[in-house]
Amino acid sequence: MKRHQLVLVGLLGLYCLITLAPFYALVVRAFTPTVQSTEFHLWLPDRRPLSMNARLGDLATIYSIDARAFRQEMGIKGYVNPQLTLAQLAETYELEPERIRAWLEPRVQYNGVLSVMEAGFLRSLLATIFVTGVSVGVGGLLGIMTGSALAGFRRPWHLFTYNLYMLNMIIPPMMVILPQYLIMTKVLGLDDNYLSVILIHIKGGALSTMVFTSYIATIPKELRESVQMDGGRHYHYFFYVLLPLMGTPFAVFASIAMPWMWNDLLHPLVFLSPAKYTLPAFVAAIGGTYTTNYEAIFSGLMLSLIPILLIYLVFQKMFVRSAVAGAVKG
Amino acid sequence: MSEVLIEGVSKRFGRTEVIHGIDLRIKEGELTVLLGPSGCGKSTLLRMIAGLEDISEGVIRIGGEEVNDLEPVERGCAMVFQNYALYPHQTVRRNMAFPLKMARLPRAEIARRVAATAKLLQLEELLDRLPRDLSGGQRQRVAMGRAMIREPKIFLFDEPLSNLDAELRVRMRLEISRLQRELLATMVFVTHDQVEAMTLAHRIVIMRAGLIEQVGTPLEVYRRPANRFVAGFIGSPAMNFIDVREVRADATGSQLTLGDGSTLVAGALPAETASVGIRPEHIRIGLAERASLSFAAGQHRSIGAEHLGDRSYRYLSLPFGELTMLAPEEQVIDETEPLAISFDPARLHCFAHDGRRLERAAA
Ligand SMILES: Nc1ncnc2c1ncn2[C@@H]1O[C@H](COP(=O)(O)OP(=O)(O)O)[C@@H](O)[C@H]1O
Ligand SMILES: [Mg+2]
């Protein structure tokens, strides 16, 4: 290898490191106990085994352990003094220490992931997949329809409409959140309904309009005329010719819009109740009330990243193709 | 009946008129070529026949029936576009079947016709490929197949060969000719390439700036161009034009005074001749008995030569202007020697001030 190639590879490697480092830190963080959260770890820290001298109340506070669930599991009725150590507990209520250990140890050792799961991660994940999926799908379809009408700007009002869509992009979402909330709840009656978040995601659609309008403008008009010559109507053109060609721009649109919708925190917080939160809002809510369980928060962040990473890996080819689209004439 | 009659047709885009009242008859079973420089309105005229473009004024009739308000499909035309307009994500088979699918033909019938057309165009092996996996010539054939499959009354081609390399273009030209003869189809073919026009056409329509300059068979437009524009457009290299200052007639014929004051003696020419044209292939080197010009050493200068192997073209700068001529390969033109050129006066084309062709009185 020549020297400039080595330099290039080195720089690329450095760039990868810088890009990937936060993800690595996130994974380490997800397994770092909250008590050590002020320390910096380069590798997963060793977990101390559960000490039978730990007090139940302290464990409950630090690890957000549900004391009621513990009592039910152990068959204890009534008030338990949180000042008791686990050893004293075993003695007082005649429990086998192994039984206490078996229930508590995983909650301490894998506290983050378990808390997230027990707080309803899967339900929240499904909600997020639903909201993001419908938003990307319907938003893309609307974008294709808008784009096919506007492409080429054949009439003065086409450009005007296009600019209106673009205007949408510069309005800060925070500024319109109150009127939007009023419209959703009072006018549309979509109080605590996933539909409200979906509607917010697909409204306006500056990005989809931009992507599809510019891509459709590159499709030769002869394709449309050819359908016309063969006796096809506009919807034949739309379904048989235009739609099948939309894979590339759709991947462009999805790869940009999907993370944004997936990571949307503001709108679910405002429009949904905690039982329906999508992932970012869910993660923000699992921190706890009186203390902050950092382990759980970081675990939640890590877990909510995994699905979208998977989607990217699965559709990688398509996204890459969309990135080079236009480089080669079809 | 598939004769196309164009009567007083104009086309305006907004306020600009690009076709100015054209009358034309496209005969049934003939291959008519619309020829003209880029931007003269050939495509627009073709698209008006197809029904892809509104007709601003005038009437188009196909088989006697007015089609101004008919949809493209009702006119019975099929079109082959310059970029072929194949549906990129559909196989050759589905591309060819598309017009029939739109016409709601039964599946078995569609399959039968696709097979028959594929056979005619030698596309059988390619039926399951996508357009992007085909070569230019194959795409071209698929586009023709898709046009043919509906058995249209009229085929419209808009510069279908201009995306092909030179060799393929010649092959496809022959192919189109063959199909035209086999199907006895009425075809309208748009091109700006005069070689294509000359080799393909039964009839050439030469257009300029939204008007028709001449309609005729290839030999007619070559031998008797209706005006200076057609004369210059048909033939390659282009015809030489020599400005004429004065024509004097005497007993032996006409004496022309050229731009530089030299004289040329030719057969009887019309008195209002303002310029004469002579094709490069009709000029000889050396003195001959009648129309000839001689130049002293230093009066003529060679400004270029094109050697094509079997023939070569010489570009000369002469006192009255530049001249192109066809000369044998081995012919040497020496600038330090006197030069004489001559031609048959019968090959001379005469044009009036406004460019109109002037007929010579029968000798
Ligand atoms: N859709 C259109 N809008 C405005 N002007 C047009 C349009 N289509 C063609 N023209 C104009 O009409 C003239 C003829 O065009 P065209 O028929 O495409 O020429 P050709 O095919 O002979 O090269 C050109 O000057 C072109 O600019
Ligand atoms: Mg054209």
Side-chain angles (χ1 to χ4, degrees), chain B residues 114-136:
Chain B
V114 168
T117 310
K119 185 153 180 237
L120 183 66
L121 291 169
Q122 292 140 34
L123 288 170
E124 289 136 308
E125 265 104 78
L126 308 176
L127 278 177
D128 293 310
R129 289 215 209 154
L130 286 175
R132 65 162 171 270
D133 301 325
L134 300 179
S135 68

mmCIF file of all heavy atoms in Angstrom, chain B residues 114-136:
data_model
loop_
_atom_site.group_PDB
_atom_site.id
_atom_site.type_symbol
_atom_site.label_atom_id
_atom_site.label_comp_id
_atom_site.label_asym_id
_atom_site.label_seq_id
_atom_site.Cartn_x
_atom_site.Cartn_y
_atom_site.Cartn_z
ATOM 1 N N VAL B 114 -47.545 -11.686 -27.961
ATOM 2 C CA VAL B 114 -46.178 -11.363 -27.518
ATOM 3 C C VAL B 114 -45.196 -12.329 -28.178
ATOM 4 O O VAL B 114 -44.159 -11.920 -28.706
ATOM 5 C CB VAL B 114 -46.056 -11.427 -25.982
ATOM 6 C CG1 VAL B 114 -44.592 -11.379 -25.563
ATOM 7 C CG2 VAL B 114 -46.812 -10.270 -25.353
ATOM 8 N N ALA B 115 -45.565 -13.613 -28.189
ATOM 9 C CA ALA B 115 -44.669 -14.612 -28.783
ATOM 10 C C ALA B 115 -44.466 -14.330 -30.265
ATOM 11 O O ALA B 115 -43.335 -14.369 -30.769
ATOM 12 C CB ALA B 115 -45.247 -16.013 -28.573
ATOM 13 N N ALA B 116 -45.553 -13.999 -30.963
ATOM 14 C CA ALA B 116 -45.447 -13.771 -32.402
ATOM 15 C C ALA B 116 -44.581 -12.547 -32.689
ATOM 16 O O ALA B 116 -43.703 -12.573 -33.566
ATOM 17 C CB ALA B 116 -46.842 -13.589 -33.005
ATOM 18 N N THR B 117 -44.812 -11.484 -31.935
ATOM 19 C CA THR B 117 -44.035 -10.258 -32.168
ATOM 20 C C THR B 117 -42.569 -10.476 -31.813
ATOM 21 O O THR B 117 -41.676 -10.011 -32.523
ATOM 22 C CB THR B 117 -44.606 -9.106 -31.322
ATOM 23 O OG1 THR B 117 -46.011 -9.052 -31.538
ATOM 24 C CG2 THR B 117 -43.991 -7.792 -31.695
ATOM 25 N N ALA B 118 -42.343 -11.194 -30.704
ATOM 26 C CA ALA B 118 -40.959 -11.453 -30.293
ATOM 27 C C ALA B 118 -40.242 -12.228 -31.383
ATOM 28 O O ALA B 118 -39.066 -12.002 -31.664
ATOM 29 C CB ALA B 118 -40.935 -12.224 -28.980
ATOM 30 N N LYS B 119 -40.961 -13.138 -32.031
ATOM 31 C CA LYS B 119 -40.348 -13.938 -33.075
ATOM 32 C C LYS B 119 -39.975 -13.051 -34.265
ATOM 33 O O LYS B 119 -38.870 -13.121 -34.783
ATOM 34 C CB LYS B 119 -41.334 -15.020 -33.509
ATOM 35 C CG LYS B 119 -40.753 -15.963 -34.506
ATOM 36 C CD LYS B 119 -41.424 -17.328 -34.422
ATOM 37 C CE LYS B 119 -40.802 -18.255 -35.442
ATOM 38 N NZ LYS B 119 -41.775 -18.810 -36.359
ATOM 39 N N LEU B 120 -40.908 -12.191 -34.639
ATOM 40 C CA LEU B 120 -40.682 -11.305 -35.778
ATOM 41 C C LEU B 120 -39.450 -10.428 -35.559
ATOM 42 O O LEU B 120 -38.694 -10.151 -36.480
ATOM 43 C CB LEU B 120 -41.929 -10.440 -35.982
ATOM 44 C CG LEU B 120 -41.915 -9.499 -37.179
ATOM 45 C CD1 LEU B 120 -41.905 -10.282 -38.469
ATOM 46 C CD2 LEU B 120 -43.103 -8.560 -37.134
ATOM 47 N N LEU B 121 -39.256 -9.997 -34.308
ATOM 48 C CA LEU B 121 -38.152 -9.072 -34.015
ATOM 49 C C LEU B 121 -36.941 -9.780 -33.420
ATOM 50 O O LEU B 121 -36.018 -9.130 -32.959
ATOM 51 C CB LEU B 121 -38.632 -7.985 -33.047
ATOM 52 C CG LEU B 121 -39.642 -6.996 -33.607
ATOM 53 C CD1 LEU B 121 -40.235 -6.152 -32.515
ATOM 54 C CD2 LEU B 121 -38.980 -6.113 -34.642
ATOM 55 N N GLN B 122 -36.967 -11.113 -33.393
ATOM 56 C CA GLN B 122 -35.876 -11.897 -32.804
ATOM 57 C C GLN B 122 -35.583 -11.485 -31.364
ATOM 58 O O GLN B 122 -34.461 -11.213 -30.982
ATOM 59 C CB GLN B 122 -34.608 -11.738 -33.629
ATOM 60 C CG GLN B 122 -34.718 -12.383 -34.990
ATOM 61 C CD GLN B 122 -34.070 -11.527 -36.059
ATOM 62 O OE1 GLN B 122 -33.090 -10.875 -35.808
ATOM 63 N NE2 GLN B 122 -34.648 -11.526 -37.247
ATOM 64 N N LEU B 123 -36.645 -11.410 -30.582
ATOM 65 C CA LEU B 123 -36.484 -11.019 -29.183
ATOM 66 C C LEU B 123 -36.770 -12.185 -28.241
ATOM 67 O O LEU B 123 -36.829 -12.004 -27.030
ATOM 68 C CB LEU B 123 -37.461 -9.884 -28.841
ATOM 69 C CG LEU B 123 -37.157 -8.524 -29.430
ATOM 70 C CD1 LEU B 123 -38.315 -7.578 -29.220
ATOM 71 C CD2 LEU B 123 -35.901 -7.962 -28.806
ATOM 72 N N GLU B 124 -36.964 -13.389 -28.803
ATOM 73 C CA GLU B 124 -37.455 -14.497 -27.975
ATOM 74 C C GLU B 124 -36.577 -14.775 -26.766
ATOM 75 O O GLU B 124 -37.075 -15.043 -25.685
ATOM 76 C CB GLU B 124 -37.567 -15.769 -28.812
ATOM 77 C CG GLU B 124 -38.713 -15.717 -29.806
ATOM 78 C CD GLU B 124 -38.296 -16.229 -31.158
ATOM 79 O OE1 GLU B 124 -37.263 -15.732 -31.659
ATOM 80 O OE2 GLU B 124 -38.988 -17.102 -31.695
ATOM 81 N N GLU B 125 -35.241 -14.661 -26.959
ATOM 82 C CA GLU B 125 -34.348 -15.005 -25.838
ATOM 83 C C GLU B 125 -34.336 -13.934 -24.757
ATOM 84 O O GLU B 125 -33.850 -14.158 -23.663
ATOM 85 C CB GLU B 125 -32.914 -15.199 -26.337
ATOM 86 C CG GLU B 125 -32.587 -16.639 -26.630
ATOM 87 C CD GLU B 125 -32.567 -16.909 -28.115
ATOM 88 O OE1 GLU B 125 -31.573 -16.542 -28.750
ATOM 89 O OE2 GLU B 125 -33.559 -17.458 -28.639
ATOM 90 N N LEU B 126 -34.843 -12.766 -25.116
ATOM 91 C CA LEU B 126 -34.694 -11.630 -24.204
ATOM 92 C C LEU B 126 -35.947 -11.376 -23.382
ATOM 93 O O LEU B 126 -35.990 -10.459 -22.567
ATOM 94 C CB LEU B 126 -34.365 -10.367 -25.003
ATOM 95 C CG LEU B 126 -33.192 -10.485 -25.964
ATOM 96 C CD1 LEU B 126 -33.034 -9.215 -26.772
ATOM 97 C CD2 LEU B 126 -31.915 -10.781 -25.205
ATOM 98 N N LEU B 127 -36.982 -12.203 -23.598
ATOM 99 C CA LEU B 127 -38.296 -11.864 -23.039
ATOM 100 C C LEU B 127 -38.302 -11.667 -21.533
ATOM 101 O O LEU B 127 -39.101 -10.904 -21.016
ATOM 102 C CB LEU B 127 -39.309 -12.954 -23.420
ATOM 103 C CG LEU B 127 -39.883 -12.790 -24.829
ATOM 104 C CD1 LEU B 127 -40.807 -13.935 -25.166
ATOM 105 C CD2 LEU B 127 -40.599 -11.467 -24.979
ATOM 106 N N ASP B 128 -37.423 -12.378 -20.819
ATOM 107 C CA ASP B 128 -37.474 -12.283 -19.365
ATOM 108 C C ASP B 128 -36.418 -11.358 -18.791
ATOM 109 O O ASP B 128 -36.187 -11.329 -17.592
ATOM 110 C CB ASP B 128 -37.371 -13.680 -18.749
ATOM 111 C CG ASP B 128 -38.596 -14.493 -19.091
ATOM 112 O OD1 ASP B 128 -39.705 -13.970 -18.887
ATOM 113 O OD2 ASP B 128 -38.453 -15.611 -19.610
ATOM 114 N N ARG B 129 -35.798 -10.569 -19.652
ATOM 115 C CA ARG B 129 -34.788 -9.632 -19.156
ATOM 116 C C ARG B 129 -35.421 -8.278 -18.875
ATOM 117 O O ARG B 129 -36.489 -7.951 -19.381
ATOM 118 C CB ARG B 129 -33.712 -9.439 -20.220
ATOM 119 C CG ARG B 129 -32.857 -10.657 -20.366
ATOM 120 C CD ARG B 129 -31.448 -10.251 -20.666
ATOM 121 N NE ARG B 129 -30.803 -11.288 -21.449
ATOM 122 C CZ ARG B 129 -29.803 -11.044 -22.256
ATOM 123 N NH1 ARG B 129 -29.364 -9.811 -22.411
ATOM 124 N NH2 ARG B 129 -29.248 -12.026 -22.933
ATOM 125 N N LEU B 130 -34.693 -7.508 -18.081
ATOM 126 C CA LEU B 130 -35.131 -6.138 -17.822
ATOM 127 C C LEU B 130 -34.465 -5.216 -18.844
ATOM 128 O O LEU B 130 -33.376 -5.519 -19.335
ATOM 129 C CB LEU B 130 -34.723 -5.716 -16.415
ATOM 130 C CG LEU B 130 -35.547 -6.327 -15.286
ATOM 131 C CD1 LEU B 130 -34.967 -5.924 -13.939
ATOM 132 C CD2 LEU B 130 -37.002 -5.903 -15.376
ATOM 133 N N PRO B 131 -35.117 -4.098 -19.149
ATOM 134 C CA PRO B 131 -34.544 -3.188 -20.150
ATOM 135 C C PRO B 131 -33.099 -2.800 -19.845
ATOM 136 O O PRO B 131 -32.289 -2.664 -20.754
ATOM 137 C CB PRO B 131 -35.455 -1.958 -20.056
ATOM 138 C CG PRO B 131 -36.752 -2.490 -19.602
ATOM 139 C CD PRO B 131 -36.442 -3.656 -18.708
ATOM 140 N N ARG B 132 -32.760 -2.668 -18.551
ATOM 141 C CA ARG B 132 -31.398 -2.208 -18.263
ATOM 142 C C ARG B 132 -30.356 -3.264 -18.604
ATOM 143 O O ARG B 132 -29.170 -2.948 -18.687
ATOM 144 C CB ARG B 132 -31.256 -1.781 -16.808
ATOM 145 C CG ARG B 132 -31.420 -2.894 -15.810
ATOM 146 C CD ARG B 132 -30.836 -2.506 -14.457
ATOM 147 N NE ARG B 132 -31.188 -3.500 -13.467
ATOM 148 C CZ ARG B 132 -32.272 -3.453 -12.720
ATOM 149 N NH1 ARG B 132 -33.095 -2.436 -12.829
ATOM 150 N NH2 ARG B 132 -32.542 -4.400 -11.858
ATOM 151 N N ASP B 133 -30.787 -4.508 -18.809
ATOM 152 C CA ASP B 133 -29.835 -5.546 -19.187
ATOM 153 C C ASP B 133 -29.757 -5.745 -20.696
ATOM 154 O O ASP B 133 -29.219 -6.741 -21.162
ATOM 155 C CB ASP B 133 -30.206 -6.874 -18.517
ATOM 156 C CG ASP B 133 -30.230 -6.738 -17.009
ATOM 157 O OD1 ASP B 133 -29.389 -5.976 -16.499
ATOM 158 O OD2 ASP B 133 -31.077 -7.357 -16.365
ATOM 159 N N LEU B 134 -30.327 -4.814 -21.441
ATOM 160 C CA LEU B 134 -30.315 -4.945 -22.898
ATOM 161 C C LEU B 134 -29.366 -3.917 -23.504
ATOM 162 O O LEU B 134 -29.114 -2.868 -22.915
ATOM 163 C CB LEU B 134 -31.711 -4.697 -23.461
ATOM 164 C CG LEU B 134 -32.835 -5.620 -22.993
ATOM 165 C CD1 LEU B 134 -34.138 -5.209 -23.642
ATOM 166 C CD2 LEU B 134 -32.508 -7.061 -23.320
ATOM 167 N N SER B 135 -28.878 -4.228 -24.710
ATOM 168 C CA SER B 135 -28.059 -3.251 -25.420
ATOM 169 C C SER B 135 -28.985 -2.232 -26.088
ATOM 170 O O SER B 135 -30.191 -2.424 -26.154
ATOM 171 C CB SER B 135 -27.228 -3.960 -26.475
ATOM 172 O OG SER B 135 -28.087 -4.439 -27.487
ATOM 173 N N GLY B 136 -28.381 -1.171 -26.594
ATOM 174 C CA GLY B 136 -29.180 -0.123 -27.221
ATOM 175 C C GLY B 136 -30.063 -0.645 -28.345
ATOM 176 O O GLY B 136 -31.246 -0.343 -28.419
#
